[in-house]
C-alpha cells in the first residue's frame, strides 16, 4: 500500500515508517516539524535504504492538505500528527483543540474527497479516564480524560467513529497506546522530547546521560506494591508492529471502526523501571521522591486480548529490552537529533 | 453592554435579541443565514424600534471573524450559531463537527485577541446523555450524548471550560437548554424550521395550520404515565430572559465557568402537549402512533434550582402559554418567514 504517515518524523511515527517500509509499503511523510527534527529523515533513509518523500507543512493548512491528496494517490493514512504534552495542554488548551481537531478535519475531508478510505489513528489509554476498571478493555464507556490533550483524543475518536458510521467505504482503526518507550535497535532513532521530558523513560535516560541531575519520583504513597505508579510500558518497536498489523487488518475488515489496545497487559512501577534502567546503564542513578503529580492514576494497564486475537499481534520486548534500547539511543545521541 | 449575538437570526437568538435590547444592551448580529431567514431582521427591528447591525457570514471564516472584532468593540458574546438537527448530524457528522467546533474556535480566538472576556454559550440538556438521574443537575459527569450534534455540545463545553480555566480574565456561561417552544407574544417572530420539523411543537403547529396531515407520536409504550415521552418544555421568552440574566451575572462573577440549566423542572408528555395545543386551536388535531424513535429518552427534565438561585431567574410561562403563543405565530405565518 501507499501510505501517508502524518507526524512521520515523530517518535512513534518514525519507528512505524521503518516497519512499514520493511513490510513492503510505500511511505510518504507529512510533518510540520513543530515537535520533531528534520534530521530524523536522513536516519530513516539510512535505515530503510529508501528515499522517503517528505511534505513539510501543518495539516491544519487545508489548501496544502488538499493539494497533497490531489497530487499523490494514497491507499491509507496513519495519523500520528498532533500536540501531545499533557501539562502544556492545560496552559494553552485552545491551541491543542484547534490543532488536533482541525488537522484531523482537514485530513479526513481530503481523504473523503479523494477516495482514501483506510485510516489508522493514534489514540491513547488516556481515553479510559479515571474510573475504568483494570485491565482497560476497548468496550469501556463513556470515554473521558482529565487533560485537554486527552480530551482531544476522546473527541477525535468520536469524530472518526461517527464519520465512519456515516460512510460505508471508510475503515478506521483507533489504536489506544499505553506507554511507549524504547528505541530502534540501531540506536539511530529514538525519543527526542523538547525541553523537560514529561514522561518517565526519557527523563531517566537524560539523567543517565548527564543532562538532568536526578529523577524526581512523583509520589511513593500510592496503593501499589512499592508505592509508585504502575504503567503498561510498550516498546516502540512492538507498537510500530501493531500499526502495520492494524493497517493490514483494515484492508480486509467489514467493521467501520475497530478499536485496539496496544499494550502488554503488565504494569511496571516507576521504581522497577528505574532499577531496570540502572541495570542497562550498569550503575545507580540518582533520584528523590516528590509530591504526587495532579491527574496521575495509580495504575494503568491494557487488556491486549482483542488486538492479540484480531491482529495476530503481540508484544515481544521486555522491560530490559526497553531500557537497553533507550540507553543505546540516548548514549549515542546525548542531545537527541541535534548533536 | 455591547453584545455580539451569533446566530441572532435563529429561533432562540432572535427572541434573545429582543430582550437584550429591552434590557438596554446594544446588539450586533452575526448570522450565516444557513438555517435562518433574512426576513427576521425586519421583524426584530419593528419589535425593538432599533436598527440592528447584521453581519452575514459564517464564523468558520476566520478572516471575517477577525475583521469584525477589529472593526467593532464588544463587551460580550452570546454564541447561538451552530448546526442543530440531530438526525442530519448522523448523516453528515464531519460537517457538524467542523462547523460547530471551528466556528467556536474562530470566535474564541477573536475574543481573546481583542480582549472580549464574557461568553454565553448555547448548550443543551443532550449533554446529560442516557444515564443521568432525574432531575438533571449541573454537577453530573461525565457528559455524553447519543448523536454527533449532541457530541458537538459536549465538546464545546469542554473546550470553553478549559479555555476559561487557563485565562484568568475569561468568564463563560454554559446554558443547558431543555426543550424550547413558544413564540414572542406579538406573533411576528417564532420557530421556522427548514423541511420536516424534528421537534414536537413545530410539527403539531404545522399540522394545525394544515401544512402536515397528522402528527406521528413516536412510541406510546414508554414507562411514563400515558406511555409517551416526557420533556421539560420551556417557553422561548423564559429562555431568552435566562440569557439576559446569565449575561448580567457573568459581568460580576469570579467563576471562570458557570453552568446553568434553563428549564422548568416539569415534564410534559407528548399527548399532554398535543391536547394543550388542541385547546389553543379550539379543535382536535389528527395523530397516529408510530414506533419509537432511536435515541429518544423516556423522560427528561431539569433541576433549575441553581439557575433560580444564582441568576434570580425562573420560568413564568405555562404549557398553555407556550401553545397559545406558538399558535399565534404559526397561524399568522403559516409558511414561516417566507410568506
Amino acid at each position: 500500500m501507499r501510505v501517508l504517515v502524518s507526524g512521520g518524523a515523530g517518535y512513534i511515527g518514525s519507528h512505524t515508517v521503518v516497519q512499514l517500509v520493511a513490510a513492503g509499503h510505500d511511505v510518504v511523510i507529512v510533518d510540520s516539524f513543530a515537535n520533531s527534527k528534520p534530521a530524523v529523515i536522513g536516519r530513516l533513509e539510512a535505515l530503510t535504504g529508501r528515499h522517503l518523500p517528505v511534505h513539510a507543512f501543518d495539516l491544519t493548512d487545508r489548501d496544502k492538505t488538499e493539494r497533497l491528496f490531489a497530487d499523490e494517490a494514497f491507499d491509507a493514512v496513519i495519523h500520528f500528527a498532533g500536540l501531545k504534552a499533557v501539562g502544556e495542554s492545560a496552559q494553552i488548551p485552545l491551541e491543542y483543540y484547534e490543532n488536533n481537531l482541525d488537522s484531523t478535519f482537514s485530513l479526513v475531508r481530503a481523504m473523503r474527497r479523494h477516495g482514501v478510505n483506510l485510516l489508522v489513528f493514534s489514540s491513547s489509554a488516556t481515553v479510559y479516564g479515571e474510573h475504568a476498571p483494570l485491565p482497560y478493555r476497548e468496550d469501556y464507556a463513556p470515554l473521558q480524560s482529565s487533560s485537554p490533550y486527552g480530551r482531544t483524543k476522546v473527541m477525535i475518536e468520536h469524530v472518526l467513529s461517527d464519520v465512519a458510521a456515516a460512510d460505508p467505504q471508510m475503515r478506521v482503526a483507533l489504536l489506544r497506546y499505553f506507554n511507549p518507550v524504547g528505541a530502534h535497535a540501531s540506536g539511530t532513532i529514538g525519543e527526542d522530547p523538547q525541553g523537560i521530558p514529561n514522561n518517565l523513560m526519557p527523563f531517566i535516560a537524560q539523567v543517565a546521560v548527564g543532562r538532568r541531575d536526578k529523577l524526581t519520583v512523583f509520589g511513593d504513597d500510592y496503593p501499589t506494591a512499592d508505592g509508585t505508579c504502575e504503567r503498561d510500558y510498550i516498546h516502540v518497536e512492538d507498537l510500530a508492529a501493531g500499526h502495520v498489523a492494524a493497517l493490514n487488518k483494515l484492508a480486509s475488515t467489514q467493521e467501520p471502526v475497530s478499536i485496539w489496545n496496544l499494550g502488554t497487559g503488565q504494569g511496571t512501577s516507576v521504581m522497577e523501571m528505574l532499577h531496570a534502567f540502572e541495570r542497562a546503564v550498569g550503575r545507580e542513578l540518582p533520584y528523590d521522591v516528590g509530591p504526587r503529580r495532579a491527574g496521575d492514576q495509580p495504575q494503568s494497564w491494557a487488556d491486549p486480548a482483542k488486538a492479540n486475537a484480531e491482529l495476530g499481534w503481540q508484544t515481544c520486548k521486555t522491560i530490559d529490552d526497553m531500557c537497553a534500547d533507550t540507553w543505546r539511543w540516548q548514549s549515542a545521541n546525548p542531545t537527541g537529533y541535534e548533536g
Side-chain angles (χ1 to χ4, degrees), chain A:
Chain A
M1 284 192 257
R2 187 166 169 79
V3 184
L4 179 67
V5 181
S6 82
Y11 172 43
I12 305 170
S14 60
H15 288 80
T16 302
V17 164
V18 175
Q19 292 202 19
L20 286 168
V21 172
H25 298 294
D26 283 331
V27 171
V28 175
I29 291 170
V30 57
D31 202 297
S32 71
F33 296 100
N35 281 319
S36 58
K37 306 286 176 14
V40 74
I41 303 298
R43 311 268 182 112
L44 289 176
E45 293 189 331
L47 282 173
T48 60
R50 294 281 185 85
H51 168 66
L52 295 169
V54 176
H55 299 268
F57 67 86
D58 195 305
L59 288 169
T60 58
D61 186 325
R62 291 183 169 234
D63 292 338
K64 288 183 180 164
T65 305
E66 168 61 23
R67 212 171 310 145
L68 174 60
F69 278 77
D71 289 348
E72 305 219 29
F74 302 114
D75 300 299
V77 175
I78 304 183
H79 181 32
F80 292 103
L83 301 178
K84 63 174 186 178
V86 172
E88 184 184 61
S89 77
Q91 305 301 317
I92 52 169
L94 186 60
E95 285 71 7
Y96 270 69
Y97 287 116
E98 285 188 298
N99 186 87
N100 290 3
L101 286 160
D102 280 344
S103 57
T104 303
F105 294 156
S106 170
L107 193 57
V108 172
R109 193 160 278 286
M111 289 179 64
R112 290 165 52 92
R113 198 178 284 123
H114 296 279
V116 183
N117 294 319
L118 308 185
L119 176 61
V120 177
F121 174 64
S122 293
S123 189
S124 164
T126 189
V127 302
Y128 290 111
E130 299 177 17
H131 304 295
L134 290 170
Y136 297 160
R137 285 169 48 94
E138 291 88 345
D139 54 6
Y140 178 79
L143 304 182
Q144 55 179 141
S145 187
S146 58
S147 72
Y149 157 75
R151 285 190 273 275
T152 70
K153 295 297 183 190
V154 172
M155 291 178 188
I156 295 171
E157 284 209 8
H158 284 308
V159 169
L160 296 178
S161 297
D162 288 339
V163 168
D167 180 344
Q169 303 300 316
M170 196 147 177
R171 300 288 179 268
V172 170
L174 307 175
L175 303 186
R176 294 181 181 161
Y177 308 160
F178 283 69
N179 291 68
V181 296
H184 189 268
S186 67
T188 61
I189 60 173
E191 187 169 11
D192 182 17
Q194 293 192 318
I196 300 170
N198 290 299
N199 296 328
L200 176 65
M201 191 69 137
F203 204 106
I204 295 176
Q206 292 192 5
V207 171
V209 84
R211 283 175 67 182
R212 309 273 160 207
D213 286 343
K214 61 177 191 297
L215 174 70
T216 296
V217 176
F218 296 118
D220 66 353
D221 58 350
Y222 284 98
T224 59
D226 67 17
T228 64
C229 288
E230 295 172 358
R231 292 289 178 273
D232 184 341
Y233 295 96
I234 176 172
H235 195 294
V236 67
E237 289 284 303
D238 283 333
L239 188 59
H243 287 73
V244 177
L247 186 64
N248 290 339
K249 183 71 179 178
L250 273 197
S252 62
T253 186
Q254 295 306 308
E255 293 290 330
V257 181
S258 303
I259 307 176
W260 290 302
N261 283 339
L262 296 183
T264 67
Q266 304 292 322
T268 300
S269 77
V270 173
M271 291 309 297
E272 287 171 334
M273 186 60 97
L274 176 65
H275 295 322
F277 209 92
E278 290 174 331
R279 288 195 296 277
V281 179
R283 59 187 155 87
E284 290 193 359
L285 297 172
Y287 74 94
D288 62 15
V289 176
R292 292 183 180 196
R293 194 168 58 169
D296 275 344
Q297 293 291 104
Q299 298 176 304
S300 154
W301 54 83
D303 180 342
K306 184 168 183 282
N308 296 164
E310 294 179 4
L311 300 179
W313 165 92
Q314 57 187 18
T315 59
C316 313
K317 305 277 193 175
T318 66
I319 292 289
D320 285 326
D321 294 333
M322 300 176 203
C323 292
D325 290 336
T326 299
W327 180 234
R328 189 178 305 110
W329 151 255
Q330 189 72 63
S331 52
N333 303 271
T335 56
Y337 287 107
E338 289 177 344

